[in-house]
């Protein structure tokens, strides 16, 4: 009788495990299609990728791409306002299906989430007043107690400064008006991605990107995705591949980089 009971218990456990394995959590692809909305986490503070205007409307390269992704699915976009500090917690908490807006690929982020295929190569460089370009060419010149660094909190810019420029004076500022800090001489250097530095160089006369093709640190940009959802990643990757193959991705980039919009 004891053996029969043990056998029945074992079989029950197998059935329970089999049932659990047979019903995995639905992919974000299915969730998006079912709810009719694509939840996009974006910071809204990083031109030319994502910017939240005074009207409350979002604009930028990745904003246009988010709308393209939603259109491919036949759904609407639901914008989820986030920050560089809260981007990863929001993704882990399931507040968004995708993170978009000039997001850099890092191993720390990879531990908790996934990435789409690479969008572009982009690296860290200094953005400074044009008159000071010669003073800030190297890590050695930048990593000095007299150098006043300004960064948005919580992103890869801050991480770079803490890792490579620990001797500098670091202060934090929002990523929309941060460039005026340089122009008004309240800070000397902003370490940022070459793409942002070149864009702001066009927007803000007096600011110059230092050696934009010679990165202080190599980087890549991609879209942030939930971890362990291969079905959703495969869809996003295929959509992105076709967007590049048919030229629509390049068209969006060209529209935004050709004539920067004044804020």
């Amino acid at each position: 009788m004891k053996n029969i009971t043990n056998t029945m218990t074992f079989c029950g456990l197998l059935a329970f495990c089999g049932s659990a394995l047979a019903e995995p959590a639905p992919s974000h692809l299915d969730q998006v299609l079912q709810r009719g909305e694509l939840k996009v986490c974006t910071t809204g503070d990083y031109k030319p990728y994502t910017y939240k205007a005074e009207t409350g409307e979002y604009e930028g390269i990745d904003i246009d791409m988010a709308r393209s992704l939603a259109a491919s699915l036949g759904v609407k976009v639901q914008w989820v306002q986030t920050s560089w500090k809260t981007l990863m917690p929001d993704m882990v908490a399931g507040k968004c299906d995708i993170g978009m807006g000039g997001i850099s690929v890092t191993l720390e982020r990879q531990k908790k989430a996934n990435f789409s295929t690479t969008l572009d190569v982009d690296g860290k460089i200094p953005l400074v007043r044009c008159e000071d370009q010669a003073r800030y060419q190297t890590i050695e010149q930048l990593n000095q107690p007299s150098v006043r660094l300004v960064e948005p909190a919580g992103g890869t810019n801050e991480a770079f400064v803490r890792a490579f420029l620990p001797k500098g004076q670091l202060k934090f500022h929002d990523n929309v008006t941060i460039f005026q800090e340089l122009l008004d001489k309240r800070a000397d250097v902003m370490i940022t991605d070459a793409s942002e530095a070149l864009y702001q160089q066009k927007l803000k006369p007096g600011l110059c990107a230092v050696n934009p093709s010679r990165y202080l640190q190599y980087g890549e940009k991609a879209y942030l995705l939930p971890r362990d959802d291969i079905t959703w990643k495969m869809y996003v990757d295929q959509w992105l591949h076709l967007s590049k193959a048919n030229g629509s991705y390049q068209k969006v980039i060209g529209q935004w980089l050709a004539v920067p919009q004044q804020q």
Side-chain angles (χ1 to χ4, degrees), residues 113-125:
N114 208 343
F115 286 100
S116 69
T117 53
T118 301
L119 294 164
D120 295 295
V121 172
D122 203 2
K124 301 297 181 190
I125 65 167

Side-chain angles (χ1 to χ4, degrees), residues 78-168:
Q78 177 186 341
W79 304 113
V80 180
Q81 178 69 51
T82 190
S83 69
W84 295 110
K85 270 191 171 182
T86 60
L87 174 61
M88 187 56 68
D90 287 345
M91 176 60 69
V92 173
K95 293 183 180 181
C96 41
D97 303 300
I98 188 169
M100 304 177 76
I103 299 171
S104 297
V105 177
T106 70
L107 290 177
E108 283 304 310
R109 286 171 174 163
Q110 188 79 53
K111 291 175 183 177
K112 298 179 181 178
N114 208 343
F115 286 100
S116 69
T117 53
T118 301
L119 294 164
D120 295 295
V121 172
D122 203 2
K124 301 297 181 190
I125 65 167
L127 179 66
V128 305
R129 290 181 294 277
C130 294
E131 64 204 60
D132 295 335
Q133 286 186 82
R135 299 174 58 187
Y136 302 118
Q137 296 281 314
T138 67
I139 291 290
E140 290 72 23
Q141 289 176 309
L142 292 161
N143 190 29
Q144 298 294 331
S146 59
V147 178
R148 298 172 300 167
L149 298 146
V150 62
E151 304 294 345
T156 56
N157 293 348
E158 178 191 349
F160 178 92
V161 169
R162 293 196 181 280
F164 299 103
L165 309 176
K167 295 180 182 179

Side-chain angles (χ1 to χ4, degrees), residues 15-238:
F16 174 78
C17 292
S19 175
L21 290 173
E23 298 179 6
S27 168
H28 281 259
L29 176 59
D30 299 318
Q31 294 179 45
V32 168
L33 293 171
Q34 184 174 11
R35 87 169 78 96
E37 285 185 333
L38 174 70
K39 295 186 294 184
V40 180
C41 277
T42 194
T43 61
D45 67 351
Y46 187 14
K47 289 184 175 182
Y49 299 100
T50 173
Y51 178 68
K52 188 175 184 180
E54 292 182 1
T55 61
E57 294 295 317
Y58 288 92
E59 57 187 37
I61 292 171
D62 284 343
I63 300 304
D64 287 349
M65 292 304 293
R67 293 190 176 107
S68 170
L69 175 58
S72 77
L73 293 158
V75 301
K76 298 178 180 179
V77 177
Q78 177 186 341
W79 304 113
V80 180
Q81 178 69 51
T82 190
S83 69
W84 295 110
K85 270 191 171 182
T86 60
L87 174 61
M88 187 56 68
D90 287 345
M91 176 60 69
V92 173
K95 293 183 180 181
C96 41
D97 303 300
I98 188 169
M100 304 177 76
I103 299 171
S104 297
V105 177
T106 70
L107 290 177
E108 283 304 310
R109 286 171 174 163
Q110 188 79 53
K111 291 175 183 177
K112 298 179 181 178
N114 208 343
F115 286 100
S116 69
T117 53
T118 301
L119 294 164
D120 295 295
V121 172
D122 203 2
K124 301 297 181 190
I125 65 167
L127 179 66
V128 305
R129 290 181 294 277
C130 294
E131 64 204 60
D132 295 335
Q133 286 186 82
R135 299 174 58 187
Y136 302 118
Q137 296 281 314
T138 67
I139 291 290
E140 290 72 23
Q141 289 176 309
L142 292 161
N143 190 29
Q144 298 294 331
S146 59
V147 178
R148 298 172 300 167
L149 298 146
V150 62
E151 304 294 345
T156 56
N157 293 348
E158 178 191 349
F160 178 92
V161 169
R162 293 196 181 280
F164 299 103
L165 309 176
K167 295 180 182 179
Q169 304 173 43
L170 174 61
K171 74 171 185 176
F172 299 107
H173 201 82
D174 72 84
N175 207 40
V176 175
T177 61
I178 194 170
F179 310 101
Q180 199 62 39
E181 295 294 294
L182 297 172
L183 289 171
D184 291 343
K185 299 188 176 182
R186 289 188 290 267
D188 303 311
V189 178
M190 178 187 180
I191 299 296
T192 187
D193 294 320
S195 57
E196 181 177 43
L198 289 168
Y199 189 80
Q200 291 299 331
Q201 179 177 270
K202 292 182 179 180
L203 282 180
K204 305 285 187 182
L207 294 185
C208 284
V210 179
N211 301 323
S213 62
R214 202 169 73 223
Y215 307 139
L216 297 176
Q217 182 185 60
Y218 173 86
E220 296 177 347
K221 293 198 180 300
Y223 297 136
L224 192 67
L225 299 170
R227 195 174 75 170
D228 302 327
D229 190 342
I230 190 63
T231 299
W232 178 226
K233 174 176 165 54
M234 288 176 66
Y235 183 89
V236 172
D237 285 350
Q238 182 69 349

